[in-house]
Amino acid sequence: MIDRRSDDELVAICNVGDAIEAARAFETLYRRHRDFVLRVARRFTRDRDLALDALQETFTYLLNKFPPAGDGLTLTARLPTLLYPAAKNAAITAARKARRFAGPGDEFLDKLPAEPVAEGEPIDAALDALSPERREVLTLRFVDDLSLAEIAVALEVPLGTVKSRLPLALKELREDSRIKDLFEP
Amino acid sequence: MEPTTELPETLPPALVERLRRLDRSQPIVDPRTDRAVLAQATEFFHARPRRAAVRMRWALPLGTAAALLLVAVLMRPLLLDAPGADDIDGSGRVDILDVLALARDRAARGDAAGISDARIEELAYRIVALDSSRSLP
């Protein structure tokens, strides 16, 4: 059965509910946002197992916001905007650890591109040409459907930065000769 | 938060589709991770009933103490204004006859009685105030 309670309601139960209620509310939050966190983690690790580690780490971080470990959580923005930086940091940390402990023969980890490029796909090549910052904003806007204000919260940058990065990313794509025809009406 | 629409944010559908496909192409759901996260949450939240039990252990004594305090506050006027001190004529109740008894005692013994005018007036005032609060038959 789908739990239709809002994230705010579930967070409130995690803050003060009894053990069973709180665990159920947390499970709903986990199932609701797990795929988003996994997607984010994969973007920064490009590895399934590392992404799963980051997923677990992200929800441990969320768990520790609630009593008795934390003071309690008050959502001032949508939960994904809180989870995004946690997932990103956990993913980057997991990827760094993997590189640090990479044994002989694992050098390929250092050579992983930011995103896989499919040869002969002009769209992929154009997207790959974007800087990581611009691509990140583009992905948050058009894949994760976050508003500009939410992106600013998720990236922990001023709204003005997002407002300048997104048009620059769009402009760069529009001016890319490989996909120019996509923008023509 | 509603999406901001201050900027013309348009991307060709083919590009959006490609972005989404790149990002969501491989679902990596893992039941073991699910179980690990949820088991951790269950264990975490079970730390709280103990705190609740501690609160419950103190709830009864604290509640009793609060009730006793409330009773003491409510009974205070009755306890402090017990008839003993003002029941001059020993009738078991404090009324205008006690004021008269007090006045007579002072008149008979003078200053030796140690009864001041203020004491007589204060008792009379209190009795009149009490009487006026009663409903008339």
Side-chain angles (χ1 to χ4, degrees), chain A residues 14-15 17 19 30 34 39 42-43 60 63 66-67 77 123-124 141-143 145 147 163 170 183, chain B residues 1-3 6 9-12 15 18 20 23-24 26 28 33-34 36 38 40-41 44-45 48:
Chain A
C14 288
N15 278 330
Y30 171 73
R34 177 190 59 186
R39 282 205 313 272
R42 265 188 69 91
R43 280 175 211 160
T60 300
L63 198 57
F66 301 115
I123 292 179
D124 292 347
R141 183 73 193 98
F142 294 104
V143 176
D145 297 317
S147 70
K163 282 184 175 177
L170 294 170
F183 287 90
Chain B
M1 251 183 285
E2 291 301 315
E6 292 170 15
E9 301 165 22
T10 51
L11 207 56
L15 256 176
R18 187 63 190 151
R20 286 180 190 269
D23 209 57
R24 297 175 177 173
Q26 293 172 290
I28 48 173
T33 307
D34 289 352
L38 298 177
Q40 188 186 6
F44 177 88
F45 287 117
R48 285 217 293 236

mmCIF file of all heavy atoms in Angstrom, chain A residues 14-15 17 19 30 34 39 42-43 60 63 66-67 77 123-124 141-143 145 147 163 170 183, chain B residues 1-3 6 9-12 15 18 20 23-24 26 28 33-34 36 38 40-41 44-45 48:
data_model
loop_
_atom_site.group_PDB
_atom_site.id
_atom_site.type_symbol
_atom_site.label_atom_id
_atom_site.label_comp_id
_atom_site.label_asym_id
_atom_site.label_seq_id
_atom_site.Cartn_x
_atom_site.Cartn_y
_atom_site.Cartn_z
ATOM 1 N N CYS A 14 9.473 10.517 12.557
ATOM 2 C CA CYS A 14 10.849 10.064 12.851
ATOM 3 C C CYS A 14 11.444 10.860 14.017
ATOM 4 O O CYS A 14 12.243 10.344 14.782
ATOM 5 C CB CYS A 14 11.740 10.225 11.623
ATOM 6 S SG CYS A 14 11.382 9.045 10.317
ATOM 7 N N ASN A 15 11.021 12.098 14.142
ATOM 8 C CA ASN A 15 11.543 12.934 15.228
ATOM 9 C C ASN A 15 11.006 12.506 16.588
ATOM 10 O O ASN A 15 11.762 12.441 17.554
ATOM 11 C CB ASN A 15 11.165 14.399 15.005
ATOM 12 C CG ASN A 15 12.108 15.102 14.036
ATOM 13 O OD1 ASN A 15 13.280 14.767 13.948
ATOM 14 N ND2 ASN A 15 11.592 16.070 13.316
ATOM 15 N N GLY A 17 8.084 10.020 17.046
ATOM 16 C CA GLY A 17 7.225 8.838 17.131
ATOM 17 C C GLY A 17 7.856 7.715 17.922
ATOM 18 O O GLY A 17 9.058 7.753 18.226
ATOM 19 N N ALA A 19 9.140 3.745 18.455
ATOM 20 C CA ALA A 19 10.135 3.032 17.635
ATOM 21 C C ALA A 19 9.532 2.438 16.366
ATOM 22 O O ALA A 19 10.087 2.580 15.274
ATOM 23 C CB ALA A 19 10.781 1.939 18.471
ATOM 24 N N TYR A 30 12.820 6.233 2.879
ATOM 25 C CA TYR A 30 13.904 5.534 2.171
ATOM 26 C C TYR A 30 13.421 5.046 0.810
ATOM 27 O O TYR A 30 14.068 5.303 -0.207
ATOM 28 C CB TYR A 30 14.388 4.362 3.034
ATOM 29 C CG TYR A 30 15.344 3.436 2.317
ATOM 30 C CD1 TYR A 30 16.654 3.830 2.061
ATOM 31 C CD2 TYR A 30 14.932 2.180 1.871
ATOM 32 C CE1 TYR A 30 17.526 2.990 1.391
ATOM 33 C CE2 TYR A 30 15.796 1.336 1.203
ATOM 34 C CZ TYR A 30 17.091 1.742 0.957
ATOM 35 O OH TYR A 30 17.957 0.911 0.285
ATOM 36 N N ARG A 34 15.099 6.587 -2.431
ATOM 37 C CA ARG A 34 16.245 5.710 -2.676
ATOM 38 C C ARG A 34 16.761 5.828 -4.119
ATOM 39 O O ARG A 34 17.971 5.963 -4.344
ATOM 40 C CB ARG A 34 15.818 4.264 -2.399
ATOM 41 C CG ARG A 34 16.876 3.237 -2.673
ATOM 42 C CD ARG A 34 16.297 1.844 -2.607
ATOM 43 N NE ARG A 34 15.205 1.692 -3.576
ATOM 44 C CZ ARG A 34 14.434 0.628 -3.665
ATOM 45 N NH1 ARG A 34 14.590 -0.378 -2.847
ATOM 46 N NH2 ARG A 34 13.476 0.556 -4.581
ATOM 47 N N ARG A 39 20.782 7.417 -8.088
ATOM 48 C CA ARG A 39 21.134 8.092 -9.353
ATOM 49 C C ARG A 39 22.263 9.089 -9.116
ATOM 50 O O ARG A 39 23.239 9.140 -9.854
ATOM 51 C CB ARG A 39 19.920 8.860 -9.909
ATOM 52 C CG ARG A 39 18.892 8.012 -10.601
ATOM 53 C CD ARG A 39 18.095 8.824 -11.613
ATOM 54 N NE ARG A 39 17.603 10.100 -11.130
ATOM 55 C CZ ARG A 39 16.437 10.256 -10.503
ATOM 56 N NH1 ARG A 39 15.685 9.212 -10.252
ATOM 57 N NH2 ARG A 39 16.047 11.451 -10.117
ATOM 58 N N ARG A 42 25.518 7.350 -8.435
ATOM 59 C CA ARG A 42 26.111 6.781 -9.658
ATOM 60 C C ARG A 42 26.772 7.843 -10.521
ATOM 61 O O ARG A 42 27.787 7.591 -11.161
ATOM 62 C CB ARG A 42 25.047 6.053 -10.462
ATOM 63 C CG ARG A 42 24.995 4.574 -10.191
ATOM 64 C CD ARG A 42 24.053 3.904 -11.152
ATOM 65 N NE ARG A 42 24.581 3.920 -12.510
ATOM 66 C CZ ARG A 42 25.326 2.948 -13.026
ATOM 67 N NH1 ARG A 42 25.623 1.909 -12.296
ATOM 68 N NH2 ARG A 42 25.756 3.007 -14.264
ATOM 69 N N ARG A 43 26.184 9.033 -10.515
ATOM 70 C CA ARG A 43 26.775 10.118 -11.312
ATOM 71 C C ARG A 43 28.206 10.397 -10.879
ATOM 72 O O ARG A 43 29.037 10.769 -11.674
ATOM 73 C CB ARG A 43 25.965 11.413 -11.123
ATOM 74 C CG ARG A 43 24.719 11.477 -11.950
ATOM 75 C CD ARG A 43 23.927 12.732 -11.597
ATOM 76 N NE ARG A 43 22.513 12.468 -11.781
ATOM 77 C CZ ARG A 43 21.536 13.173 -11.232
ATOM 78 N NH1 ARG A 43 21.819 14.198 -10.453
ATOM 79 N NH2 ARG A 43 20.286 12.864 -11.461
ATOM 80 N N THR A 60 22.291 6.823 6.435
ATOM 81 C CA THR A 60 22.832 6.856 7.809
ATOM 82 C C THR A 60 22.924 8.307 8.264
ATOM 83 O O THR A 60 22.595 8.641 9.409
ATOM 84 C CB THR A 60 24.218 6.189 7.864
ATOM 85 O OG1 THR A 60 24.081 4.841 7.434
ATOM 86 C CG2 THR A 60 24.795 6.226 9.262
ATOM 87 N N LEU A 63 19.460 9.398 9.077
ATOM 88 C CA LEU A 63 19.033 8.771 10.335
ATOM 89 C C LEU A 63 19.587 9.521 11.546
ATOM 90 O O LEU A 63 18.894 9.747 12.537
ATOM 91 C CB LEU A 63 19.528 7.319 10.333
ATOM 92 C CG LEU A 63 18.888 6.325 11.295
ATOM 93 C CD1 LEU A 63 17.389 6.256 11.089
ATOM 94 C CD2 LEU A 63 19.507 4.948 11.088
ATOM 95 N N PHE A 66 17.884 12.460 13.451
ATOM 96 C CA PHE A 66 16.751 12.267 14.354
ATOM 97 C C PHE A 66 17.221 11.915 15.769
ATOM 98 O O PHE A 66 18.295 11.335 15.925
ATOM 99 C CB PHE A 66 15.840 11.155 13.822
ATOM 100 C CG PHE A 66 15.295 11.419 12.447
ATOM 101 C CD1 PHE A 66 15.646 10.628 11.372
ATOM 102 C CD2 PHE A 66 14.437 12.491 12.226
ATOM 103 C CE1 PHE A 66 15.156 10.879 10.100
ATOM 104 C CE2 PHE A 66 13.945 12.755 10.963
ATOM 105 C CZ PHE A 66 14.307 11.952 9.898
ATOM 106 N N PRO A 67 16.398 12.261 16.772
ATOM 107 C CA PRO A 67 16.743 11.828 18.136
ATOM 108 C C PRO A 67 16.725 10.298 18.221
ATOM 109 O O PRO A 67 15.960 9.686 17.497
ATOM 110 C CB PRO A 67 15.614 12.423 18.983
ATOM 111 C CG PRO A 67 15.012 13.490 18.125
ATOM 112 C CD PRO A 67 15.192 13.052 16.718
ATOM 113 N N ALA A 77 13.265 22.809 3.051
ATOM 114 C CA ALA A 77 13.115 22.637 1.599
ATOM 115 C C ALA A 77 12.766 21.167 1.380
ATOM 116 O O ALA A 77 12.708 20.401 2.347
ATOM 117 C CB ALA A 77 14.413 22.987 0.895
ATOM 118 N N ILE A 123 24.870 13.746 -29.451
ATOM 119 C CA ILE A 123 24.254 14.274 -28.225
ATOM 120 C C ILE A 123 25.154 13.986 -27.025
ATOM 121 O O ILE A 123 25.424 14.860 -26.197
ATOM 122 C CB ILE A 123 22.852 13.653 -27.981
ATOM 123 C CG1 ILE A 123 21.875 14.123 -29.050
ATOM 124 C CG2 ILE A 123 22.331 14.028 -26.600
ATOM 125 C CD1 ILE A 123 20.480 13.559 -28.907
ATOM 126 N N ASP A 124 25.637 12.756 -26.942
ATOM 127 C CA ASP A 124 26.496 12.388 -25.815
ATOM 128 C C ASP A 124 27.787 13.194 -25.824
ATOM 129 O O ASP A 124 28.283 13.613 -24.782
ATOM 130 C CB ASP A 124 26.820 10.892 -25.864
ATOM 131 C CG ASP A 124 25.592 10.056 -25.586
ATOM 132 O OD1 ASP A 124 24.587 10.646 -25.125
ATOM 133 O OD2 ASP A 124 25.622 8.853 -25.832
ATOM 134 N N ARG A 141 18.161 20.077 -13.111
ATOM 135 C CA ARG A 141 16.971 20.780 -13.609
ATOM 136 C C ARG A 141 16.102 19.870 -14.479
ATOM 137 O O ARG A 141 14.893 19.811 -14.309
ATOM 138 C CB ARG A 141 17.406 22.015 -14.419
ATOM 139 C CG ARG A 141 16.250 22.854 -14.922
ATOM 140 C CD ARG A 141 15.614 23.632 -13.788
ATOM 141 N NE ARG A 141 14.337 24.203 -14.179
ATOM 142 C CZ ARG A 141 13.157 23.662 -13.907
ATOM 143 N NH1 ARG A 141 13.079 22.529 -13.246
ATOM 144 N NH2 ARG A 141 12.047 24.251 -14.278
ATOM 145 N N PHE A 142 16.725 19.170 -15.430
ATOM 146 C CA PHE A 142 15.929 18.452 -16.433
ATOM 147 C C PHE A 142 15.763 16.964 -16.161
ATOM 148 O O PHE A 142 14.876 16.342 -16.719
ATOM 149 C CB PHE A 142 16.528 18.667 -17.828
ATOM 150 C CG PHE A 142 16.418 20.095 -18.287
ATOM 151 C CD1 PHE A 142 17.517 20.935 -18.268
ATOM 152 C CD2 PHE A 142 15.196 20.606 -18.688
ATOM 153 C CE1 PHE A 142 17.407 22.253 -18.659
ATOM 154 C CE2 PHE A 142 15.077 21.938 -19.083
ATOM 155 C CZ PHE A 142 16.189 22.767 -19.070
ATOM 156 N N VAL A 143 16.591 16.394 -15.330
ATOM 157 C CA VAL A 143 16.426 14.977 -14.991
ATOM 158 C C VAL A 143 15.740 14.846 -13.629
ATOM 159 O O VAL A 143 14.783 14.106 -13.471
ATOM 160 C CB VAL A 143 17.785 14.242 -14.984
ATOM 161 C CG1 VAL A 143 17.609 12.792 -14.546
ATOM 162 C CG2 VAL A 143 18.421 14.300 -16.358
ATOM 163 N N ASP A 145 14.257 17.351 -12.050
ATOM 164 C CA ASP A 145 13.138 18.292 -11.991
ATOM 165 C C ASP A 145 13.153 19.193 -10.747
ATOM 166 O O ASP A 145 12.107 19.494 -10.165
ATOM 167 C CB ASP A 145 11.784 17.541 -12.056
ATOM 168 C CG ASP A 145 11.624 16.810 -13.375
ATOM 169 O OD1 ASP A 145 11.963 17.405 -14.416
ATOM 170 O OD2 ASP A 145 11.169 15.650 -13.352
ATOM 171 N N SER A 147 13.677 22.816 -8.925
ATOM 172 C CA SER A 147 13.589 24.233 -9.284
ATOM 173 C C SER A 147 14.967 24.868 -9.102
ATOM 174 O O SER A 147 15.854 24.276 -8.462
ATOM 175 C CB SER A 147 12.568 24.940 -8.401
ATOM 176 O OG SER A 147 13.066 25.025 -7.086
ATOM 177 N N LYS A 163 21.416 30.588 -11.444
ATOM 178 C CA LYS A 163 20.766 31.345 -12.517
ATOM 179 C C LYS A 163 21.736 31.701 -13.635
ATOM 180 O O LYS A 163 21.324 31.971 -14.748
ATOM 181 C CB LYS A 163 20.143 32.628 -11.944
ATOM 182 C CG LYS A 163 18.836 32.372 -11.219
ATOM 183 C CD LYS A 163 18.224 33.674 -10.763
ATOM 184 C CE LYS A 163 16.864 33.442 -10.138
ATOM 185 N NZ LYS A 163 16.287 34.682 -9.624
ATOM 186 N N LEU A 170 22.926 25.910 -21.314
ATOM 187 C CA LEU A 170 21.997 25.847 -22.454
ATOM 188 C C LEU A 170 22.610 26.516 -23.687
ATOM 189 O O LEU A 170 22.486 26.014 -24.803
ATOM 190 C CB LEU A 170 20.670 26.514 -22.093
ATOM 191 C CG LEU A 170 19.848 25.808 -21.010
ATOM 192 C CD1 LEU A 170 18.680 26.670 -20.562
ATOM 193 C CD2 LEU A 170 19.337 24.466 -21.527
ATOM 194 N N PHE A 183 18.041 22.187 -32.002
ATOM 195 C CA PHE A 183 17.457 23.426 -31.476
ATOM 196 C C PHE A 183 16.673 24.193 -32.517
ATOM 197 O O PHE A 183 16.020 25.169 -32.197
ATOM 198 C CB PHE A 183 18.573 24.327 -30.907
ATOM 199 C CG PHE A 183 19.132 23.826 -29.611
ATOM 200 C CD1 PHE A 183 20.214 22.964 -29.589
ATOM 201 C CD2 PHE A 183 18.568 24.208 -28.399
ATOM 202 C CE1 PHE A 183 20.720 22.493 -28.397
ATOM 203 C CE2 PHE A 183 19.086 23.739 -27.202
ATOM 204 C CZ PHE A 183 20.172 22.882 -27.209
ATOM 205 N N MET B 1 8.603 24.172 -2.690
ATOM 206 C CA MET B 1 9.159 25.213 -3.536
ATOM 207 C C MET B 1 8.709 25.016 -4.980
ATOM 208 O O MET B 1 8.844 23.919 -5.518
ATOM 209 C CB MET B 1 10.682 25.135 -3.485
ATOM 210 C CG MET B 1 11.292 26.272 -2.724
ATOM 211 S SD MET B 1 13.080 26.220 -2.751
ATOM 212 C CE MET B 1 13.427 24.899 -1.621
ATOM 213 N N GLU B 2 8.153 26.011 -5.561
ATOM 214 C CA GLU B 2 7.711 25.914 -6.942
ATOM 215 C C GLU B 2 8.888 26.204 -7.870
ATOM 216 O O GLU B 2 9.761 27.017 -7.556
ATOM 217 C CB GLU B 2 6.605 26.934 -7.196
ATOM 218 C CG GLU B 2 5.309 26.590 -6.474
ATOM 219 C CD GLU B 2 4.771 25.231 -6.898
ATOM 220 O OE1 GLU B 2 4.746 24.950 -8.103
ATOM 221 O OE2 GLU B 2 4.417 24.440 -6.012
ATOM 222 N N PRO B 3 8.904 25.550 -9.036
ATOM 223 C CA PRO B 3 9.975 25.836 -9.978
ATOM 224 C C PRO B 3 9.977 27.307 -10.376
ATOM 225 O O PRO B 3 8.925 27.897 -10.601
ATOM 226 C CB PRO B 3 9.632 24.942 -11.177
ATOM 227 C CG PRO B 3 8.744 23.895 -10.641
ATOM 228 C CD PRO B 3 8.000 24.520 -9.501
ATOM 229 N N GLU B 6 11.750 32.276 -14.152
ATOM 230 C CA GLU B 6 12.240 33.588 -14.575
ATOM 231 C C GLU B 6 13.066 33.495 -15.853
ATOM 232 O O GLU B 6 13.174 34.444 -16.600
ATOM 233 C CB GLU B 6 13.104 34.187 -13.467
ATOM 234 C CG GLU B 6 12.310 34.560 -12.235
ATOM 235 C CD GLU B 6 13.218 34.923 -11.080
ATOM 236 O OE1 GLU B 6 14.408 35.161 -11.330
ATOM 237 O OE2 GLU B 6 12.732 34.943 -9.950
ATOM 238 N N GLU B 9 13.970 28.383 -19.876
ATOM 239 C CA GLU B 9 14.696 27.121 -19.773
ATOM 240 C C GLU B 9 14.106 26.126 -20.745
ATOM 241 O O GLU B 9 13.093 25.503 -20.433
ATOM 242 C CB GLU B 9 14.582 26.555 -18.373
ATOM 243 C CG GLU B 9 15.093 27.446 -17.292
ATOM 244 C CD GLU B 9 14.609 26.957 -15.941
ATOM 245 O OE1 GLU B 9 14.263 25.789 -15.797
ATOM 246 O OE2 GLU B 9 14.555 27.785 -15.039
ATOM 247 N N THR B 10 14.666 26.013 -21.875
ATOM 248 C CA THR B 10 14.164 25.031 -22.826
ATOM 249 C C THR B 10 15.315 24.172 -23.313
ATOM 250 O O THR B 10 16.426 24.645 -23.511
ATOM 251 C CB THR B 10 13.494 25.709 -24.032
ATOM 252 O OG1 THR B 10 14.403 26.683 -24.549
ATOM 253 C CG2 THR B 10 12.188 26.373 -23.641
ATOM 254 N N LEU B 11 14.997 22.930 -23.465
ATOM 255 C CA LEU B 11 15.979 21.979 -23.958
ATOM 256 C C LEU B 11 15.223 21.077 -24.940
ATOM 257 O O LEU B 11 14.108 20.653 -24.639
ATOM 258 C CB LEU B 11 16.529 21.168 -22.783
ATOM 259 C CG LEU B 11 17.922 20.586 -22.879
ATOM 260 C CD1 LEU B 11 18.975 21.644 -23.178
ATOM 261 C CD2 LEU B 11 18.280 19.870 -21.588
ATOM 262 N N PRO B 12 15.771 20.800 -26.066
ATOM 263 C CA PRO B 12 15.065 19.932 -27.019
ATOM 264 C C PRO B 12 14.709 18.603 -26.365
ATOM 265 O O PRO B 12 15.531 18.052 -25.614
ATOM 266 C CB PRO B 12 16.080 19.738 -28.141
ATOM 267 C CG PRO B 12 17.004 20.888 -28.028
ATOM 268 C CD PRO B 12 17.062 21.249 -26.575
ATOM 269 N N LEU B 15 17.274 15.879 -26.312
ATOM 270 C CA LEU B 15 18.381 16.052 -25.355
ATOM 271 C C LEU B 15 17.960 15.642 -23.942
ATOM 272 O O LEU B 15 18.708 14.975 -23.225
ATOM 273 C CB LEU B 15 18.812 17.513 -25.345
ATOM 274 C CG LEU B 15 20.106 17.858 -26.085
ATOM 275 C CD1 LEU B 15 20.332 19.355 -26.061
ATOM 276 C CD2 LEU B 15 21.285 17.148 -25.442
ATOM 277 N N ARG B 18 17.758 11.990 -23.726
ATOM 278 C CA ARG B 18 19.092 11.371 -23.673
ATOM 279 C C ARG B 18 19.713 11.523 -22.279
ATOM 280 O O ARG B 18 20.308 10.589 -21.740
ATOM 281 C CB ARG B 18 19.998 12.012 -24.733
ATOM 282 C CG ARG B 18 21.340 11.349 -24.872
ATOM 283 C CD ARG B 18 21.200 9.912 -25.347
ATOM 284 N NE ARG B 18 22.481 9.196 -25.255
ATOM 285 C CZ ARG B 18 22.582 7.891 -25.054
ATOM 286 N NH1 ARG B 18 21.506 7.154 -24.909
ATOM 287 N NH2 ARG B 18 23.760 7.318 -25.013
ATOM 288 N N ARG B 20 18.114 11.848 -19.498
ATOM 289 C CA ARG B 20 17.399 10.955 -18.572
ATOM 290 C C ARG B 20 17.839 9.511 -18.769
ATOM 291 O O ARG B 20 17.996 8.752 -17.828
ATOM 292 C CB ARG B 20 15.887 11.057 -18.796
ATOM 293 C CG ARG B 20 15.282 12.336 -18.276
ATOM 294 C CD ARG B 20 13.774 12.373 -18.529
ATOM 295 N NE ARG B 20 13.234 13.693 -18.251
ATOM 296 C CZ ARG B 20 12.755 14.073 -17.080
ATOM 297 N NH1 ARG B 20 12.752 13.236 -16.074
ATOM 298 N NH2 ARG B 20 12.290 15.294 -16.915
ATOM 299 N N ASP B 23 21.116 8.754 -17.283
ATOM 300 C CA ASP B 23 21.089 8.770 -15.826
ATOM 301 C C ASP B 23 20.339 7.590 -15.240
ATOM 302 O O ASP B 23 20.634 7.136 -14.147
ATOM 303 C CB ASP B 23 20.417 10.067 -15.368
ATOM 304 C CG ASP B 23 20.942 10.489 -14.017
ATOM 305 O OD1 ASP B 23 22.165 10.671 -13.901
ATOM 306 O OD2 ASP B 23 20.135 10.620 -13.095
ATOM 307 N N ARG B 24 19.340 7.124 -15.972
ATOM 308 C CA ARG B 24 18.458 6.112 -15.382
ATOM 309 C C ARG B 24 18.535 4.772 -16.104
ATOM 310 O O ARG B 24 17.674 3.921 -15.917
ATOM 311 C CB ARG B 24 17.007 6.618 -15.418
ATOM 312 C CG ARG B 24 16.813 7.857 -14.583
ATOM 313 C CD ARG B 24 15.418 8.412 -14.712
ATOM 314 N NE ARG B 24 15.249 9.570 -13.828
ATOM 315 C CZ ARG B 24 14.188 10.345 -13.827
ATOM 316 N NH1 ARG B 24 13.198 10.113 -14.635
ATOM 317 N NH2 ARG B 24 14.105 11.372 -12.995
ATOM 318 N N GLN B 26 20.407 2.151 -15.884
ATOM 319 C CA GLN B 26 20.641 0.889 -15.180
ATOM 320 C C GLN B 26 20.102 0.937 -13.753
ATOM 321 O O GLN B 26 20.743 1.506 -12.868
ATOM 322 C CB GLN B 26 22.139 0.607 -15.123
ATOM 323 C CG GLN B 26 22.734 0.322 -16.488
ATOM 324 C CD GLN B 26 24.235 0.241 -16.386
ATOM 325 O OE1 GLN B 26 24.906 1.238 -16.173
ATOM 326 N NE2 GLN B 26 24.755 -0.960 -16.518
ATOM 327 N N ILE B 28 19.735 -0.153 -10.192
ATOM 328 C CA ILE B 28 20.674 -0.963 -9.393
ATOM 329 C C ILE B 28 20.100 -1.242 -8.001
ATOM 330 O O ILE B 28 20.773 -1.114 -7.003
ATOM 331 C CB ILE B 28 22.045 -0.276 -9.280
ATOM 332 C CG1 ILE B 28 21.872 1.187 -8.888
ATOM 333 C CG2 ILE B 28 22.813 -0.415 -10.571
ATOM 334 C CD1 ILE B 28 23.176 1.888 -8.590
ATOM 335 N N THR B 33 21.163 -4.082 0.382
ATOM 336 C CA THR B 33 21.332 -2.710 0.877
ATOM 337 C C THR B 33 20.054 -2.236 1.550
ATOM 338 O O THR B 33 20.103 -1.597 2.604
ATOM 339 C CB THR B 33 21.709 -1.768 -0.292
ATOM 340 O OG1 THR B 33 22.833 -2.320 -0.961
ATOM 341 C CG2 THR B 33 22.030 -0.374 0.209
ATOM 342 N N ASP B 34 18.914 -2.559 0.936
ATOM 343 C CA ASP B 34 17.627 -2.191 1.549
ATOM 344 C C ASP B 34 17.542 -2.752 2.967
ATOM 345 O O ASP B 34 17.218 -2.038 3.922
ATOM 346 C CB ASP B 34 16.454 -2.757 0.736
ATOM 347 C CG ASP B 34 16.286 -2.048 -0.598
ATOM 348 O OD1 ASP B 34 16.967 -1.031 -0.816
ATOM 349 O OD2 ASP B 34 15.474 -2.520 -1.419
ATOM 350 N N ALA B 36 19.905 -3.744 4.924
ATOM 351 C CA ALA B 36 20.917 -3.166 5.826
ATOM 352 C C ALA B 36 20.472 -1.785 6.329
ATOM 353 O O ALA B 36 20.550 -1.490 7.527
ATOM 354 C CB ALA B 36 22.256 -3.052 5.105
ATOM 355 N N LEU B 38 17.394 -0.534 6.437
ATOM 356 C CA LEU B 38 16.187 -0.592 7.262
ATOM 357 C C LEU B 38 16.459 -1.250 8.623
ATOM 358 O O LEU B 38 15.871 -0.852 9.636
ATOM 359 C CB LEU B 38 15.071 -1.317 6.508
ATOM 360 C CG LEU B 38 14.669 -0.599 5.200
ATOM 361 C CD1 LEU B 38 13.612 -1.377 4.440
ATOM 362 C CD2 LEU B 38 14.180 0.820 5.475
ATOM 363 N N GLN B 40 19.251 -1.015 10.199
ATOM 364 C CA GLN B 40 19.951 0.031 10.957
ATOM 365 C C GLN B 40 18.940 1.033 11.533
ATOM 366 O O GLN B 40 19.057 1.457 12.692
ATOM 367 C CB GLN B 40 20.929 0.745 10.025
ATOM 368 C CG GLN B 40 21.847 1.713 10.739
ATOM 369 C CD GLN B 40 22.700 2.524 9.772
ATOM 370 O OE1 GLN B 40 22.535 2.438 8.555
ATOM 371 N NE2 GLN B 40 23.603 3.311 10.301
ATOM 372 N N ALA B 41 17.936 1.382 10.717
ATOM 373 C CA ALA B 41 16.915 2.332 11.177
ATOM 374 C C ALA B 41 16.114 1.743 12.338
ATOM 375 O O ALA B 41 15.843 2.427 13.334
ATOM 376 C CB ALA B 41 15.999 2.697 10.021
ATOM 377 N N PHE B 44 18.170 1.780 15.366
ATOM 378 C CA PHE B 44 18.339 3.179 15.805
ATOM 379 C C PHE B 44 17.113 3.653 16.593
ATOM 380 O O PHE B 44 17.226 4.195 17.696
ATOM 381 C CB PHE B 44 18.537 4.055 14.558
ATOM 382 C CG PHE B 44 18.660 5.521 14.847
ATOM 383 C CD1 PHE B 44 19.894 6.094 15.120
ATOM 384 C CD2 PHE B 44 17.542 6.344 14.843
ATOM 385 C CE1 PHE B 44 20.003 7.450 15.370
ATOM 386 C CE2 PHE B 44 17.646 7.701 15.097
ATOM 387 C CZ PHE B 44 18.877 8.258 15.365
ATOM 388 N N PHE B 45 15.941 3.429 16.016
ATOM 389 C CA PHE B 45 14.730 3.960 16.665
ATOM 390 C C PHE B 45 14.352 3.184 17.918
ATOM 391 O O PHE B 45 13.624 3.695 18.757
ATOM 392 C CB PHE B 45 13.572 3.995 15.668
ATOM 393 C CG PHE B 45 13.715 5.090 14.643
ATOM 394 C CD1 PHE B 45 13.836 4.807 13.298
ATOM 395 C CD2 PHE B 45 13.763 6.422 15.040
ATOM 396 C CE1 PHE B 45 13.989 5.820 12.358
ATOM 397 C CE2 PHE B 45 13.915 7.440 14.115
ATOM 398 C CZ PHE B 45 14.027 7.140 12.767
ATOM 399 N N ARG B 48 14.861 4.621 21.400
ATOM 400 C CA ARG B 48 13.971 5.633 21.997
ATOM 401 C C ARG B 48 12.986 5.122 23.043
ATOM 402 O O ARG B 48 12.748 5.826 24.006
ATOM 403 C CB ARG B 48 13.234 6.371 20.890
ATOM 404 C CG ARG B 48 14.140 7.331 20.191
ATOM 405 C CD ARG B 48 13.430 8.577 19.809
ATOM 406 N NE ARG B 48 12.440 8.328 18.820
ATOM 407 C CZ ARG B 48 12.386 8.945 17.644
ATOM 408 N NH1 ARG B 48 13.309 9.806 17.322
ATOM 409 N NH2 ARG B 48 11.420 8.704 16.817
#
